[in-house]
Amino acid sequence: MSEVRVRFAPSPTGFFHIGSARTALFNWLYARKTGGTFVLRIEDTDKERNTEEALQVLIDGMKWLGLDWDEGPDKGGDYGPYFQSERREIYDKHLEILRKNGRAYDKDGAVFFKVSGKPQVIQDEVRGRVERLEEKDFVIYRSDGSPVFHFVNVVDDMTMGITHVIRGEDHLSNTSKHTELFAAFDAPTPIFAHIPLILKQSGPGKMSKRDKGALIEEYQQQNFLPSAVRNYLCLLGWNPKDNREVMPIDTIIEEFSFSGVQKGSAKFDEKKMAFINMETLRGLEIGTFSWMASQALANAGVIKGGVDEDYLQTVMQLAQPKVNGLDTIADYVGYFFTEDFSYDEKTTGRLQKKGNPVELLGQVKTALASVDDWKADSLDAAFTALAQAHGQEKPFAWFPATRWAVSGAAGGPDLLPLLEVLGKDKVIARLAKGIEQF
RNA sequence: GUCCCGUUCGUCUAGCCUGGUCAGGACACAUGGUUUUCAUCCAUGCAACAGGGGUUCGAAUCCCCUACGGGAUGCCA
């Protein structure tokens, strides 16, 4: 373990915002890169909003993204408690220090902090030297007796031995308040790194919880790969300075540095997110892919109960190179697992316009019924023989109707392997069912 | 209003520190190809240094100004 101690200090609001998630991620990356400690501290001072469920959303999201913490809720640690609501004694003790220093005074029923009047110099790891004068004394305890954010934040960072404060740029202007406080406690100032904000993809301003893609819960629900979401989030505001984009997390940890962090804020791009997700999906081991796909299929109600592992994996071998997301996998390969699939009406109409599907399907059914060695090669031979019997070189004329009859769709995996995997009985039965549709 | 931060293709960005490359890559988009089909794949194309002034033989790169965007200026966090 190195000396580095970083923290993520969210306040549980009932949702996990993408911007918060990225702040957590950058802290986590830095901790893992340096062999330091990643602390999760819960800023649950707002009694009204802080429910058990709200905390759970946060914890689920963190776990889903694979951002494990070394100290915090469920983990404990030597610097607890890790809930601000349980640290009141510590705050009050520190208020007394400031009072003794002559840096805190009462006014209008509240407690004010007396600023030094000196410009605060922040050596920011991302932005370089930033200088700002904190002009006015500010409130550290409200008239209702509760301590305010700036005060508790500094006291917590100080007492928890935080060495690096990595947070959103919206806190850059607040930093002069914080350095004033650290100095007043005669405590060393942590190293700051202010990371850019994530802006909404269209229109002005930062992502708000109402924007599409703003909440980690959405990605969980839509069966995005957590590693892909995490990868994309890394790329929003950081890059390894070469052209690599889709990378394993170990590589990102290895390459991560503040010099690679962007100064300007970045717009969220759902298309790129989807692309990274697809790329990540393609790179999965077939076993992993099959397992995840089966979860998605089960959620969609396509799979009920157990499925034969070998069959599942064979189907997924066809699907993996072509599918672009797990949220649509049920549409793409659902018919492999259930007879309860629907025929695409547009395709039905198109087939009727183009020729006589009933006749075509009847011919295919007869041709395939006599195939005993049910392999793609033999099926190819049977189709070719059928074509040649009708004076055609290639059997392409029979393909669209066949695909439609067995899958209900106009597109999908390669037809012959598809038929092979589906098996003779199902194919013959579905050809018959297809004929009845007209 | 004041203070702080920022600004390269539509988007994410490389290049800037240590001036000299047709300003590179990716997503998106367009066209063509492959494919029975398709959500894949391949090829090609489109497209940017916010504006103005300096410094310099030469500026995306260094300096200044302006504009625009964001943040702070709360007894919110």
Side-chain angles (χ1 to χ4, degrees), chain A residues 288-340:
Chain A
T288 312
F289 179 82
S290 297
W291 186 82
M292 301 195 95
S294 69
Q295 297 293 304
L297 289 169
N299 288 342
V302 171
I303 292 180
K304 301 178 185 77
V307 183
D308 182 75
E309 280 298 316
D310 291 339
Y311 180 67
L312 177 72
Q313 189 145 325
T314 317
V315 171
M316 291 312 161
Q317 256 156 0
L318 295 181
Q320 189 180 20
K322 305 192 81 172
V323 79
N324 61 11
L326 286 177
D327 55 328
T328 52
I329 192 132
D331 294 335
Y332 197 70
V333 296
Y335 54 85
F336 277 103
F337 303 96
T338 176
E339 293 302 318
D340 183 25

Side-chain angles (χ1 to χ4, degrees), chain A residues 111-226:
Chain A
V111 183
F112 280 71
F113 174 76
K114 193 170 166 22
V115 296
S116 67
K118 294 184 200 132
Q120 300 299 301
V121 177
I122 300 136
Q123 201 57 47
D124 193 278
E125 289 293 304
V126 174
R127 275 136 221 289
R129 185 192 157 95
V130 177
E131 199 176 301
R132 187 170 188 274
L133 175 66
E134 196 59 39
E135 296 179 30
K136 293 192 302 189
D137 294 353
F138 54 91
V139 173
I140 50 177
Y141 266 67
R142 302 184 187 87
S143 48
D144 69 2
S146 60
V148 310
F149 164 74
H150 301 298
F151 179 81
V152 295
N153 203 259
V154 167
V155 170
D156 285 342
D157 284 345
M158 209 167 74
T159 53
M160 288 184 173
I162 299 303
T163 59
H164 294 68
V165 172
I166 305 167
R167 54 168 33 162
E169 197 204 330
D170 47 342
H171 285 297
L172 185 57
S173 298
N174 288 329
T175 306
S176 46
K177 285 190 176 72
H178 302 167
T179 55
E180 284 265 14
L181 282 163
F182 279 110
F185 284 115
D186 206 19
T189 308
I191 293 163
F192 291 99
H194 286 92
I195 61 181
L197 269 22
I198 299 176
L199 272 23
K200 52 178 82 188
Q201 45 183 345
S202 57
K206 50 181 178 177
M207 286 282 269
S208 89
K209 65 182 176 200
R210 290 163 61 197
D211 291 314
K212 187 164 182 246
L215 268 30
I216 298 302
E217 300 91 279
E218 293 178 45
Y219 300 102
Q220 291 177 270
Q221 283 155 13
Q222 289 168 36
N223 289 306
F224 272 81
L225 292 177

Side-chain angles (χ1 to χ4, degrees), chain A residues 268-412:
Chain A
F268 175 77
D269 183 353
E270 61 173 322
K271 292 245 176 75
K272 186 112 186 191
M273 167 78 255
F275 171 78
I276 302 276
N277 188 245
M278 182 186 79
E279 282 288 296
T280 310
L281 217 44
R282 298 282 170 78
L284 250 33
E285 299 268 334
I286 182 65
T288 312
F289 179 82
S290 297
W291 186 82
M292 301 195 95
S294 69
Q295 297 293 304
L297 289 169
N299 288 342
V302 171
I303 292 180
K304 301 178 185 77
V307 183
D308 182 75
E309 280 298 316
D310 291 339
Y311 180 67
L312 177 72
Q313 189 145 325
T314 317
V315 171
M316 291 312 161
Q317 256 156 0
L318 295 181
Q320 189 180 20
K322 305 192 81 172
V323 79
N324 61 11
L326 286 177
D327 55 328
T328 52
I329 192 132
D331 294 335
Y332 197 70
V333 296
Y335 54 85
F336 277 103
F337 303 96
T338 176
E339 293 302 318
D340 183 25
F341 61 89
S342 57
Y343 292 96
D344 179 58
E345 282 179 32
K346 269 191 196 163
T347 312
T348 313
R350 205 176 309 139
L351 288 171
Q352 274 173 314
K353 263 190 186 169
K354 269 195 157 178
N356 185 344
V358 173
E359 192 180 80
L360 291 172
L361 289 172
Q363 290 160 352
V364 172
K365 187 165 167 264
T366 310
L368 298 190
S370 60
V371 176
D372 293 321
D373 181 29
W374 194 262
K375 291 278 186 315
D377 287 349
S378 324
L379 293 168
D380 189 26
F383 269 109
T384 305
L386 172 63
Q388 284 165 355
H390 288 266
Q392 293 190 33
E393 206 178 326
K394 298 276 184 185
F396 297 159
W398 286 265
F399 278 15
T402 305
R403 173 183 295 283
W404 169 85
V406 300
S407 74

Side-chain angles (χ1 to χ4, degrees), chain A residues 343 357-358 361 401 404-406 428-438:
Chain A
Y343 292 96
V358 173
L361 289 172
W404 169 85
V406 300
I428 299 296
R430 288 185 188 183
L431 286 169
K433 190 177 161 195
I435 291 167
E436 288 164 20
Q437 299 300 311
F438 295 97

